[in-house]
Amino acid sequence: MTELVNHLRNFGKNFSMTAVHVAWVALALVGVGMFSINKLAGYLAPTDWLTWFYTTPLGALTFSAAVYGVTLLFVLSPMIMRRKSKTEVREALGLKKPLQFRMVLWALMMQGIFIGVAMVVTLILYSLNISGLDLTERQELPFAELSGWYEYVAAFVLLVVLAPVFEEMIFRGYLYGRLRKYSGVIISTIITSIGFGVVHGQLNVAIVVGLLSVAMCVLREKFDSIYPTIMMHMFQNGFSYAMLFIVPLYGIKILQ
């Protein structure tokens, strides 16, 4: 009987701590990051500035940098208030282990596995013909086209550098690392991947990035570091950036 009580007590503690950390990251990203920056921009910025923020690459880069920065600061605020050391903060974000060359090789290998799995899953979903699921729907971006060279640079920095670095620190770094202590590898991977998919909005995109997250959680677990997950995320976003904006310059439209 005592053993059962202890088991239930541990389960309750682990479940509650898992829920707390998921809610904390969700609050940081949506309730604080996106909401506060949107509200602040709405109160302080003129209408033409808001149009620039939401429809241009430079504006999207500025807006996203603000959202990511505020979100990460809020996520880490308990550690900051408790005056945790830089080493402890880096460990919480999955940045304590040094960068290794084999991380690059593993990131490339997992990228290949992910592409294969994603293709198989996509074919299966096509064959099932699920109502309301449009697998051909293009991912919504705050900008549709690029013109000047600075817009190509801004879009590249946002999609291939800023998003991978900050999203990995938040999801595979902080969230997965915290959940791993209470829920184990499988549950932590599932929750992290579902959350990562949900924040991307569209169902077809959520499925793909959810699978991507599973592959990156494998890397996170193997190396106890987000360096390889950042690299894999950059590979994926870099490929999408090239297909969306660079390849069409040569008259080839694949993802459009």
Side-chain angles (χ1 to χ4, degrees):
M1 186 67 179
T2 304
E3 205 173 303
L4 177 61
V5 171
N6 289 335
H7 178 75
L8 291 174
R9 185 178 296 150
N10 289 333
F11 174 81
K13 177 185 176 182
N14 292 338
F15 180 83
S16 61
M17 291 305 296
T18 297
V20 164
H21 287 300
V22 170
W24 182 252
V25 171
L27 174 65
L29 185 61
V30 180
V32 176
M34 294 182 182
F35 181 79
S36 65
I37 299 302
N38 268 309
K39 283 297 183 181
L40 186 64
Y43 282 129
L44 301 180
T47 304
D48 55 342
W49 282 31
L50 293 178
T51 302
W52 178 78
F53 262 127
Y54 298 133
T55 61
T56 68
L58 284 172
L61 175 59
T62 304
F63 177 80
S64 298
V67 170
Y68 285 136
V70 169
T71 298
L72 189 61
L73 185 63
F74 186 82
V75 163
L76 296 174
S77 58
M79 299 187 73
I80 295 172
M81 288 187 290
R82 285 182 288 174
R83 298 184 179 180
K84 295 292 184 178
S85 66
K86 291 181 180 179
T87 300
E88 290 174 302
V89 172
R90 288 177 58 202
E91 184 175 8
L93 294 175
L95 293 169
K96 185 178 179 180
K97 297 289 182 66
L99 181 63
Q100 303 171 15
F101 178 71
R102 67 193 186 105
M103 291 178 178
V104 180
L105 300 179
W106 270 87
L108 287 170
M109 182 184 72
M110 290 304 296
Q111 180 70 21
I113 293 173
F114 157 72
I115 291 173
V117 172
M119 290 177 64
V120 171
V121 171
T122 300
L123 289 173
I124 293 174
L125 292 176
Y126 262 122
S127 65
L128 294 176
N129 194 23
I130 301 173
S131 177
L133 176 60
D134 182 6
L135 296 172
T136 63
E137 183 181 6
R138 179 177 172 176
Q139 181 176 359
E140 292 184 9
L141 295 173
F143 43 87
E145 297 179 354
L146 305 178
S147 53
W149 65 268
Y150 56 91
E151 290 194 348
Y152 281 89
V153 172
F156 180 86
V157 172
L158 171 58
L159 299 175
V160 187
V161 180
L162 189 73
V165 170
F166 276 91
E167 288 176 8
E168 290 311 303
M169 285 194 289
I170 294 169
F171 285 95
R172 258 67 56 186
Y174 184 87
L175 181 59
Y176 179 86
R178 283 292 185 263
L179 297 184
R180 178 70 175 81
K181 295 181 178 180
Y182 303 103
S183 303
V185 175
I186 296 177
I187 299 300
S188 300
T189 298
I190 292 173
I191 294 176
T192 300
S193 300
I194 290 175
F196 190 58
V198 168
V199 299
H200 282 78
Q202 296 169 231
L203 181 56
N204 64 321
V205 177
I207 292 171
V208 174
V209 299
L211 293 173
L212 179 68
S213 176
V214 171
M216 292 190 294
C217 285
V218 172
L219 290 175
R220 169 71 160 100
E221 184 65 24
K222 176 173 177 57
F223 290 99
D224 191 22
S225 170
I226 64 168
Y227 285 124
T229 74
I230 290 174
M231 285 183 269
M232 184 175 174
H233 202 153
M234 286 181 169
F235 294 156
Q236 177 63 25
N237 283 18
F239 175 78
S240 298
Y241 171 84
M243 292 298 102
L244 285 170
F245 302 116
I246 303 302
V247 172
L249 293 176
Y250 299 92
I252 305 172
K253 296 185 179 181
I254 299 176
L255 300 182
Q256 297 182 344

